Amino acid sequence: MSTALHVLPADPIVPKKAPVDPATLTYRDLLRGPFWQKIPAYREVSEAQFLDHTWQAKNTITNVAKLLKALEGLVSSAFIADAEEGFRHAPMSVRVSPYLLSLIDWSDPYADPLRIQFVPVASRLLPDHPKLDLDSLHEQADAPVPGLTHRYPDKALFLPLDTCPVYCRFCTRSYAIGLDTEGVEKVNFRANEERWKRAYEYIASRPELEDIVISGGDAYQLRAQQITEIGEALLAMPNVRRLRFATKGPAVMPMKILTDDAWTNALTGIVEKGRKLHKEVVLHTHFNHPREITGITEDALNKLMERGVTVRNQSVLQRRVNDTPEVMTLLVKRLGHVNVHPYYVYVHDLVKGVEDLRTTLDTALYIEKHVRGSTAGFNTPTFVVDAPGGGGKRDAHSYEFYDRDTGVSVYTAPAVKPGQYFVYFDPLDQLSDTMRRRWMDPAEQEAMVADALSKARAHLR
Ligand code: SF4
């Protein structure tokens, strides 16, 4: 950077760029007003009631019959039957907050990007990829204690409980989160202090562990006292330098931050305690679509901003939800507008029952190219592939080899699992007919993977 003094020119300033029309800055337009009252069941619900987190929790829909009842009159009977059948095949149980239900455009439910994430319909489901594994990230294989994954050298993922304020179709942790479904018997990570103690003992015994993610499930479901207990136990360990509380809450029930004073004060208390100890405590959240950010979200995030709580976002790239440069750019700009750092965009993991949501790696690279440059670098998300088999998050561009025809990409993770190769697969329905036929044959599947691995080895540095 030059430090020389410059003499200002006398000529008038010639604008190089015309000012934009403020009407085009749509990321600033946030939904306000009683939008929930368009849902018949919430027609009489006042603003005070709707903002009350206890009302939201009490009226959260937790079974298919109740969900379908709430939708009566809003959607066709054909859609209801489609959704009923969709849930029968889903690996996740039902949980939808009134706030979320109110944000869905029920006049066009098949196209609505929020409906797509939470309410499966059988007519859109696709067969799983033949290489899919229920715990594709191998979180359990890397867990020295149940509910504690230690994969990266200095970081661990702590799962203190297995419930969330909503259940998302695309959940990577569908092997554990929520109730059993017709197709999946879940691993149990219920909140249990004995299990937590074993996790603390392990973390304290590993001097290299500095960074702990407290996820789940979802930190929103922890009681205020539990936030304090977990935060204090971890901050007391000299090796622990950073904590992240992970919650989807701001995206699906932001009013809790405004009206659950005990919870918000507990979080703020741990952030402040961390600051006094010169340790970072932040909130990680999960918005996927710009419409998930409303005026209520802005008020909630402003409250966290005033209390000095840093919030970062991790999105999942999903087909028909956010898989265009326009929608992703709008999301990124809107996140920046409400003071949330767009940290990661995950290329969708291989998850059971949601092949219709996955995109190709090529789509992710295309979108990333268009998003980068639209705002400041620190507000630009990194697009990552969470390498199946436990390689951890890899920059989507860092593949050793990618065959767009077979849809096979190969990653390595030298700092995490040196010498190993991790293979990601594009969804089959996005490939050519010839390739889809090859994928029907197990011998051909092995040949395609072997070919990709040998080419990756040849390129490896
Ligand atoms: S909130 Fe997170 S952990 Fe819970 S179901 Fe959704 S993606 Fe899974």
Side-chain angles (χ1 to χ4, degrees), residues 315-319 322-325 328 344-349 357-372 381-386 394-399 402 404 409 411 424 426-427 430:
S315 297
V316 178
L317 180 61
Q318 294 166 80
R319 218 190 297 183
N322 54 15
D323 64 336
T324 65
M328 190 58 83
Y344 278 144
V345 173
Y346 287 82
V347 177
H348 202 305
D349 295 331
L357 294 182
R358 291 204 305 124
T359 68
T360 60
L361 172 60
D362 188 55
T363 305
L365 302 178
Y366 167 76
I367 295 173
E368 198 275 350
K369 183 167 62 181
H370 285 81
V371 169
R372 186 159 294 279
T382 304
F383 283 57
V384 292
V385 171
D386 212 340
R394 312 305 303 163
D395 182 327
H397 295 86
S398 70
Y399 52 80
Y402 177 29
R404 286 169 169 78
S409 46
Y411 289 85
Y424 181 79
D426 288 346
Q430 300 293 293

Side-chain angles (χ1 to χ4, degrees), residues 92 164 166-168 170-171 177 217-218 248 286:
M92 295 301 289
C164 305
V166 297
Y167 292 136
C168 317
F170 48 83
C171 185
I177 302 303
D218 192 296
K248 194 163 173 64
H286 183 174

Side-chain angles (χ1 to χ4, degrees), residues 214-350:
I214 302 136
S215 183
D218 192 296
Y220 241 39
Q221 302 298 100
L222 291 168
R223 292 196 299 278
Q225 178 54 33
Q226 293 173 321
I227 293 272
T228 304
E229 181 189 319
I230 292 172
E232 287 185 345
L234 293 171
L235 285 177
M237 297 177 198
N239 54 312
V240 172
R241 305 289 307 158
R242 293 172 293 280
L243 298 184
R244 311 179 218 174
F245 284 95
T247 171
K248 194 163 173 64
V252 295
M253 207 187 280
M255 53 282 290
K256 182 177 169 82
I257 292 165
L258 295 169
T259 59
D260 188 347
D261 290 340
W263 192 90
T264 308
N265 290 343
L267 176 72
T268 312
I270 293 299
V271 171
E272 282 167 1
K273 183 155 199 166
R275 199 176 298 129
K276 286 199 185 106
L277 293 166
H278 308 137
K279 298 185 178 191
E280 184 189 70
V281 181
V282 303
L283 194 76
H284 273 209
T285 191
H286 183 174
F287 292 94
N288 289 323
H289 190 275
R291 267 199 10 235
E292 291 161 7
I293 303 171
T294 65
I296 301 173
T297 328
E298 184 178 42
D299 295 345
L301 293 168
N302 281 347
K303 182 167 177 175
L304 294 183
M305 176 84 179
E306 284 162 21
R307 292 176 174 214
V309 181
T310 298
V311 184
R312 302 189 190 119
N313 188 65
Q314 305 186 179
S315 297
V316 178
L317 180 61
Q318 294 166 80
R319 218 190 297 183
R320 298 180 298 131
V321 173
N322 54 15
D323 64 336
T324 65
E326 294 74 24
V327 172
M328 190 58 83
T329 303
L330 183 59
L331 173 63
V332 164
K333 293 282 289 180
R334 192 165 281 175
L335 285 167
H337 183 65
V338 293
N339 297 310
V340 175
H341 294 275
Y343 173 39
Y344 278 144
V345 173
Y346 287 82
V347 177
H348 202 305
D349 295 331
L350 284 124

